Amino acid sequence: TSPEVLEARKGIVEMLLINHPLDCPICDQAGECDLQNLGFEHGAVKTRYEFDRRTFGKIDIGDKIQLHMTRCILCYRCVFVADQITDHRIHGILDRGDRSEISTYIYHAVDNDFSGNVIDVCPVGALTDKTFRFKNRVWFTKPVDAHRVCDHPNCNGKVTLWYKGEEVMRVTARKDQYGEVEEFICNTCRFDKKKTSDWVIEGPRKVSHKSVISSNHYDFIPLPVVKTNPVLMEANKEQFERDTRL
C-alpha cells in the first residue's frame, strides 16, 4: 500500500470523525464498531476540526431500536436494507447537507417483522438494540452459533447467541468474515427467543483474532509435554478447568 493511499484513507476517516461524538466508553457498539477500527488503524491522534460538532435531538423510533443520530455517518445502509427486506420502509434521510439525518416522517415507529436487522448492518452506534442497552460489553460475552425452526417463511432461524454465563444477553444475525450479514432474521428470533431451550446449539462462534471480542476467548491446546508430565498438569490445572468450562 502506497503512502498516498494511506494518506487518502486517513483523510476519509478524519472526515467521518468530524461530527462523530467521542463516546466510545459508553457506546454499546464499542468492540464491534467499524469506525472505531478504522480510526485506530488510520486515524490521527487528534482532530484539526475547531467548530462545534453537529448534534440532533433524541427521536423515539420504537421499543426495540435505539437511534443515536449524533453517531450516524450517513452510510445509508439501514435505508437500503429496509428497502430490501420490506415493502413499506418507514425511515429514511430527511433534510440536506450537514442537516441530513436518519428519521421517520411524523415520528412513526420502525415496526416490521425484520426491522431489527438495521441494528446489525449499522457500522457505528447509531442504531442499537434497546434490549441489550448498557447491559454488558461484547468482549465479556461468549458468541455461540445456534438455530431454530422459525415460523416466519422468510427467516431461516440461524443466529448468533451472545452469552454471559448461562444468560442469553442478545441475539444477532450471523456475519461473514467481512462483517456482512449472511442471512436476515425476524424480530421474533431476535427479541423474543432469549432462552437456551428455544435453540439448537451448534457450537462456539469463530471470532477473528484481530477483534477485541476474542480477548477472552482462546483456543487452548495443551502441549504434549504437559499431557505426560504430572507436575505440569497440576500447574496447568486451572487452565485445563477453564478450557473445559468454556
Side-chain angles (χ1 to χ4, degrees):
T1 304
S2 66
E4 290 80 6
V5 172
L6 292 176
E7 187 65 24
R9 290 177 180 172
K10 186 176 179 179
I12 294 297
V13 173
E14 184 179 17
M15 182 185 71
L16 291 175
L17 290 171
I18 281 178
N19 286 307
H20 197 78
L22 301 178
D23 60 354
C24 297
I26 63 170
C27 180
D28 282 324
Q29 192 76 2
E32 50 186 2
C33 175
D34 293 336
L35 186 58
Q36 196 176 43
N37 296 336
L38 288 172
F40 177 78
E41 185 175 356
H42 301 294
V45 176
K46 58 183 180 179
T47 181
R48 296 176 292 176
Y49 196 69
E50 299 178 352
F51 303 97
D52 293 336
R53 296 177 186 270
R54 179 189 60 187
T55 58
F56 295 92
K58 292 184 178 181
I59 298 176
D60 186 4
I61 61 173
D63 62 339
K64 303 295 186 184
I65 305 172
Q66 179 69 45
L67 172 62
H68 289 275
M69 190 54 217
T70 53
R71 300 173 182 167
C72 182
I73 58 174
L74 292 175
C75 67
Y76 286 55
R77 288 169 63 91
C78 62
V79 178
F80 296 147
V81 165
D83 280 333
Q84 181 178 347
I85 63 180
T86 179
D87 295 329
H88 304 286
R89 173 168 57 83
I90 301 298
H91 70 287
I93 306 294
L94 302 183
D95 293 326
R96 296 181 179 180
D98 64 352
R99 297 178 62 87
S100 298
E101 62 175 312
I102 299 289
S103 185
T104 60
Y105 185 61
I106 321 182
Y107 301 132
H108 284 171
V110 177
D111 185 20
N112 60 69
D113 292 342
F114 286 82
S115 62
N117 289 283
V118 299
I119 298 171
D120 289 334
V121 301
C122 181
V124 294
L127 294 166
T128 54
D129 185 349
K130 276 189 176 181
T131 64
F132 182 64
R133 184 171 168 81
F134 301 141
K135 283 190 175 181
N136 219 303
R137 287 303 198 181
V138 291
W139 55 84
F140 292 139
T141 60
K142 178 183 177 182
V144 175
D145 283 341
H147 69 271
R148 63 182 290 267
V149 178
C150 184
D151 297 331
H152 199 291
N154 295 326
C155 177
N156 64 7
K158 295 181 179 180
V159 304
T160 297
L161 306 179
W162 297 80
Y163 279 93
K164 179 64 174 179
E166 297 182 355
E167 181 183 1
V168 178
M169 303 299 295
R170 66 170 180 164
V171 181
T172 64
R174 298 184 188 180
K175 294 185 178 182
D176 59 22
Q177 59 180 325
Y178 305 108
E180 300 294 339
V181 175
E182 295 178 356
E183 296 286 345
F184 297 123
I185 61 174
C186 67
N187 285 358
T188 300
C189 288
R190 182 183 301 273
F191 298 118
D192 299 334
K193 302 297 181 180
K194 292 192 176 181
K195 294 182 180 179
T196 302
S197 58
D198 294 328
W199 301 93
V200 177
I201 305 299
E202 299 176 12
R205 180 73 174 173
K206 184 67 176 179
V207 180
S208 171
H209 70 279
K210 296 181 180 179
S211 171
V212 69
I213 302 175
S214 67
S215 61
N216 290 308
H217 309 93
Y218 303 97
D219 294 327
F220 177 64
I221 304 177
L223 296 174
V225 66
V226 175
K227 294 182 179 180
T228 58
N229 190 318
V231 177
L232 293 178
M233 287 183 67
E234 182 63 26
N236 287 270
K237 182 178 180 180
E238 182 180 348
Q239 181 63 61
F240 274 106
E241 293 177 350
R242 180 181 182 278
D243 180 60
T244 304
R245 185 170 64 254
L246 294 178

